[in-house]
Amino acid sequence: MSLDAVLARIDADLPNATERLMDLLRIRSISTDPAYKAECDKAADWLVADLRSLGVDASKRPTPGHPMVVGHAGDAEDGTGPHLLFYGHYDVQPVDPLDLWDRDPFDPEVQDTPQGKVIRARGASDDKGQLMTFIEACRAWKEVHGSLPGRLTFFFEGEEESGSPSLVPFMKENTAELKSDIALICDTGLFDPDTPAITTMLRGLLGEELTITAANKDLHSGMYGGLAMNPIRVLSKIIAGLHDETGRITLPGFYDGVPELSNSIRAQWESLGFDDQQFLGDVGLSVPAGEQGRTPLEMIWSRPTCEVNGIWGGYEGDGFKTVLPGQAHAKISFRLVGTQDPLKLRETFRDYVRAQLPADCSVEFKGHGASPAGVMQTESPAFEAARQALTDEWPKPAAYTGCGGSIPIAGYFKTVLDMDAMLIGFGKDDDQIHSPNEKYDMRSFHKGIRSWARVLAALNS
Ligand code: BES
Ligand code: MN
Ligand code: MN
């Protein structure tokens, strides 16, 4: 059977596939830092060249930010399956704090660990290793069959890690070119090491940065302390008021549009047997700290959150300085679910802060991204076909899961292009994405490639 030939080809080519991934991982494509603009460009060029080597008609497409990569293979007459679009992102997160890395984040290495072989580098899991699982499946397919399966569009972004500012305009300007039957996204995780997942719910994200100013300069805390307003005190009180004693968020109207889980999803999630003690234990914690009365999976998959991502001001250096700061800063993000409206919430949050400012204090806001939650429609037969294909590859049957993270494009496929998105990924909870020493298991890479070959076969049969 030809799928077996493709799988055999994948097995035989794994060392070369690993070399190609390591090549891509050497490119320092940090999208949020303007110093790496040329490197983002280089990653886009690398992908264009690699797609062209597969016979894909690929090009780098400029945007006001980092370029997109778009490629096409096959046409309407090709294949029997749906026109598939594959999405991934070639940009990566910053690497700081650099001193916590065991090696240069952009000098990838295959390492033997007690848990098996891993590829260690920034972006190994998020998202270069993941996006290459699909490209490598295509390569093996092409080598066996002489052409790619059916009609395929490739779409790679270089701004996912910095809020995707160019994405919606680009999708709107290129609707006809991008419109396909189904979007495949490889940027999520396995449910557990043996259980593959199709993610059907992603949370949205609202990012806000604020600066509260009191005095027009930093002051001596002996000379002014007690008399002058301290903006860190003001900021802390505002932040402390965002949650009540039961872990609920206090902003007025915050829970508008937050749905209760349907009984069928609740039952499905319960059957997954999620081990929250293990999940928390792995990071040195033991007690779920979300809203009272919610299960741990609800807390991370289907409930909205408010988190302080950073807070600073005054003197933070070594030693001690008796300063009464003139300014206080924080970065705060909200994970959103259901139909919570990020832009409405931004105004609610800003009003809430302004209403609590005492005399002599002022506030400035900076918005960082606002994307709604995404719920995937799983009714189309393609979902059951893909689920079976994944089940064939992994020790345990594939699960439909939620995901606490955000991938803005997943929702935009529906709202801008009226397409369903299918999220299949092979990351693990311990991949340390966004953190020092990021890695991707060789098993994720290898079985990920094999999984895509099976999914492509299933969708084209
Ligand atoms: N691949 C992640 C999303 C993700 C996180 C999937 C965890 C599965 C598990 C994505 O690259 C990401 O990091 N998204 C950001 C949002 C973005 C707008 C900066 C996130 O979720 O914080
Ligand atoms: Mn990602
Ligand atoms: Mn990420």
Side-chain angles (χ1 to χ4, degrees), residues 29-33 37 40 43-44 61-69 87-93 155-170 187 369 406-409 412:
S29 47
I30 303 170
S31 59
T32 195
D33 184 343
K37 187 171 174 41
C40 290
R61 308 283 288 274
T63 76
H66 302 303
M68 307 282 175
V69 171
Y87 164 91
H89 64 91
Y90 66 75
D91 63 320
V92 300
Q93 283 278 328
F155 183 25
F156 298 117
E157 182 194 357
E159 299 186 323
E160 197 274 345
E161 299 291 11
S162 44
S164 302
S166 311
L167 186 61
V168 170
F170 186 85
D187 196 22
S406 308
I407 305 174
I409 197 172
Y412 298 143

Side-chain angles (χ1 to χ4, degrees), residues 55-84:
V56 176
D57 177 15
S59 57
K60 184 171 76 174
R61 308 283 288 274
T63 76
H66 302 303
M68 307 282 175
V69 171
V70 182
H72 303 282
D75 51 39
E77 285 76 56
D78 283 324
T80 48
H83 174 185
L84 301 174

Side-chain angles (χ1 to χ4, degrees), residues 256-274:
D256 291 353
V258 176
E260 283 301 325
L261 275 188
S262 69
N263 286 336
S264 70
I265 292 191
R266 188 178 295 280
Q268 204 177 300
W269 288 3
E270 266 163 25
S271 75
L272 291 172
F274 178 67

Side-chain angles (χ1 to χ4, degrees), residues 334-388:
F334 298 86
R335 297 279 170 179
L336 311 177
V337 305
T339 56
Q340 281 182 299
D341 178 350
L343 294 178
K344 194 174 141 213
L345 217 56
R346 170 167 282 156
E347 291 320 311
T348 307
F349 172 71
R350 291 182 180 189
D351 288 345
Y352 165 88
V353 172
R354 286 189 198 106
Q356 294 181 72
L357 286 183
D360 287 340
C361 284
S362 61
V363 63
E364 266 181 75
F365 296 98
K366 188 173 174 193
H368 291 277
S371 60
V375 178
M376 311 305 136
Q377 297 309 315
T378 55
E379 280 80 45
S380 96
F383 277 80
E384 270 315 303
R387 179 138 99 142
Q388 186 57 52

